[in-house]
Amino acid sequence: MTLAFDLHRWTRDWTPACAFDRLQPLRGVAVLLPDQVQVALFRLADDSLRAVGNIDPIGRAAVLSRGIVGDRNGFPVVASPLKKQAFSLIDGRCLDVDGIRVPVFATRIGIDGTVFVANTPDVRFGRRPEPAVK
């Protein structure tokens, strides 16, 4: 049995952002995806990576990459620099206002240390969900 690896599909699903060692702990950077979506990429204190949409849905500006990274009850969050609402870096929900969330994007590190961000929130664990059969 052979598995076919589709390099073109993989490059459609992932965007290279930067080298891992260029990211500063507890600081964010903005990444522009091919479809003009902005993502805020964060390196946490434990060297894990998190990425969420960069647009603050309350302040309506692309500023989350400049937010303050911290934690609430042990869970990583970023506080918007505009109105200081905290957004979970795990599931994207706003911890201060019910019903508001930002999209969460998968991340991965390549063999050479390049950080990749998924092009859509639908890509999880390196796989795009299969379309529903009708």
Side-chain angles (χ1 to χ4, degrees), residues 107-131:
T107 60
R108 61 173 37 179
I109 301 174
I111 295 172
D112 62 352
T114 301
V115 175
F116 291 89
V117 178
N119 287 338
T120 67
D122 298 332
V123 176
R124 287 279 171 231
F125 307 109
R127 293 187 53 119
R128 179 190 307 250
E130 297 298 327

Side-chain angles (χ1 to χ4, degrees), residues 23-39:
L23 295 172
Q24 296 178 3
L26 303 178
R27 293 281 178 116
V29 296
V31 178
L32 185 62
L33 299 179
D35 60 355
Q36 306 305 310
V37 171
Q38 291 187 32
V39 173

Side-chain angles (χ1 to χ4, degrees), residues 49-71:
L49 295 171
R50 300 287 178 189
V52 295
N54 195 33
I55 306 293
D56 177 350
I58 296 169
R60 297 189 179 138
V63 295
L64 287 183
S65 63
R66 292 186 236 139
I68 299 168
V69 178
D71 72 76

Side-chain angles (χ1 to χ4, degrees), residues 5 11 17 33 56 82 88 96 106 118 121 130:
F5 178 74
T11 55
L33 299 179
D56 177 350
L82 294 179
S88 169
D96 299 318
E130 297 298 327

